[in-house]
Amino acid sequence: MRSSTSSSEARFVAALAMTFGVLLGVWELVLRQRASETVDFVIDRPPITSSTSGGEEWLIFGNCLMMTGVSPARLDQHLSHDRGRTIINIAAHEQSPIAFFEYLRRTAHYPDVVVANVSSWLNGTNFEQEGALVTQADPLGVGRGAVTGSRPSGDQAYRQMGEASTGGVQSRTEDALSAWTGKRLRVVGHRYHLFDWSLFFATLVTTADLDNALYQLNMQAWFRVKSSETDGRGFVGLHVAYRDDWSAGLERMAERSLQRLRLSRSLTSRYWSLLEDHVRHFEDHGTRVVIVRMPEHPRIRQFNDETYDVPLRLRQVEERTGAPVYDLSQLGPADGVRLFDAVHPDADAAEVITRKIGNWLDSKRITVGQAADRRRGVAE
């Protein structure tokens, strides 16, 4: 009897081990196929190699929609008159234009023209801290700004997906699993928690849809970033390959983005007040400021309009400051503009956006004030 029981237990353990091994093998195969296609990523600003010395200085800034959507080199080509311009894009991931205005004011640096965007994709609403961080980074290398007060490191301040503390049992279990699997399985740059695995398996069982289940772990196969390009002036062009059912996946990605936006209230009354104050200040110092609203997924645009009344706010900024506003938020695939993850434009979209901005700037006959003279000797 004891021998029979032992044999049954051994078979059960062997079957369990074999099942676990098969699951690990299948999961490893999935990770290898999907590892480079996660949607939870940060686009880093590339190094700027062009000099801003001499001639007119034009700056493009705001969040990563400007970084991936407006090419300074191509914008210069689309502007009709060559006046010896140097156009630089210093936009950064989820950064507000207020932070860059703060940086320029702290360094008493006034470019001839500023092209900034308004967007709800922001790090947060601590604009003074963000301004201090941009000043510390000093993307233009002007280096005259003094930053006072304590501030977190750039890595700490810009980390958006920090690991949350977990319960003791879960934490110890995850640490043990990570230690064991880390030596045997491929690492893909994410730490998945027990809740994530549970959500994945529950979604897979209830929907029988692998794409939908993997998206719970921020993995997708609706698009793939094939390559990127830079122009030495801060632009990052992303060349993307799309699956045939990308439009269906786009709606799922838009809903995921909306879940985050619903939890934040970034375009506060203080945001608009500070923006107006900065625009007036720079106009008074000879800088021509123009504001752009970049293309948005229709559902995200609807959310922003209903939550923040963005069209009205932009009209008020234009009327009160005189800064012209260009609204591109309705551009979509029919216009050659694809937001591959429901947020960021691809390289082809950037060409369309840049051309439209260039033609619009020409039509507005943007005139340059006395910012260059002020840069040579007039402090704030």
Side-chain angles (χ1 to χ4, degrees), residues 144-349:
R144 294 193 301 270
V147 184
T148 60
S150 61
R151 56 183 180 266
S153 67
D155 179 65
Q156 175 186 352
Y158 286 105
R159 182 179 295 125
Q160 297 300 305
M161 301 298 293
E163 294 182 1
S165 59
T166 58
V169 175
Q170 177 177 337
S171 180
R172 288 193 296 272
T173 303
E174 290 172 354
D175 290 342
L177 287 175
S178 298
W180 188 87
T181 59
K183 299 177 181 178
R184 296 165 174 79
L185 300 181
R186 188 175 181 218
V187 177
V188 297
H190 289 271
R191 178 178 179 179
Y192 295 108
H193 299 271
L194 294 181
F195 175 79
D196 299 319
W197 298 115
S198 301
L199 191 61
F200 164 78
F201 285 116
T203 304
L204 183 61
V205 170
T206 55
T207 66
D209 186 337
L210 180 60
D211 285 335
N212 193 25
L214 284 172
Y215 195 53
Q216 304 300 322
L217 300 178
N218 285 340
M219 295 182 187
Q220 58 79 42
W222 299 300
F223 71 84
R224 178 173 57 86
V225 178
K226 298 185 298 182
S227 61
S228 63
E229 62 171 294
T230 61
D231 60 1
R233 303 187 189 183
F235 167 70
V236 180
L238 300 173
H239 297 274
V240 181
Y242 295 92
R243 210 167 69 175
D244 291 339
D245 62 345
W246 169 77
S247 57
L250 181 67
E251 296 308 311
R252 294 183 186 178
M253 291 185 283
E255 177 57 33
R256 172 69 66 84
S257 296
L258 280 170
Q259 290 174 5
R260 174 187 166 185
L261 290 177
R262 292 185 187 111
L263 296 175
S264 63
R265 287 294 183 269
S266 54
L267 300 183
T268 62
S269 297
R270 185 167 179 270
Y271 170 93
W272 295 106
S273 176
L274 288 172
L275 181 64
E276 283 192 25
D277 174 74
H278 283 304
V279 172
R280 288 195 188 94
H281 175 86
F282 276 80
E283 292 280 357
D284 289 343
H285 282 70
T287 297
R288 196 72 171 97
V289 179
V290 296
I291 298 175
V292 175
R293 185 182 183 186
M294 295 291 279
E296 297 174 359
H297 185 278
R299 293 176 63 193
I300 294 176
R301 183 178 70 251
Q302 180 182 5
F303 169 83
N304 286 329
D305 289 350
E306 292 176 351
T307 305
Y308 303 115
D309 203 355
V310 174
L312 174 61
R313 290 287 196 172
L314 287 176
R315 284 197 302 271
Q316 290 174 341
V317 171
E318 186 171 26
E319 292 170 358
R320 294 170 180 171
T321 67
V325 174
Y326 192 26
D327 190 344
L328 295 170
S329 62
Q330 297 192 38
L331 292 182
D335 307 293
V337 174
R338 281 184 171 183
L339 308 179
F340 59 88
D341 60 349
V343 178
H344 300 93
D346 63 16
D348 292 334

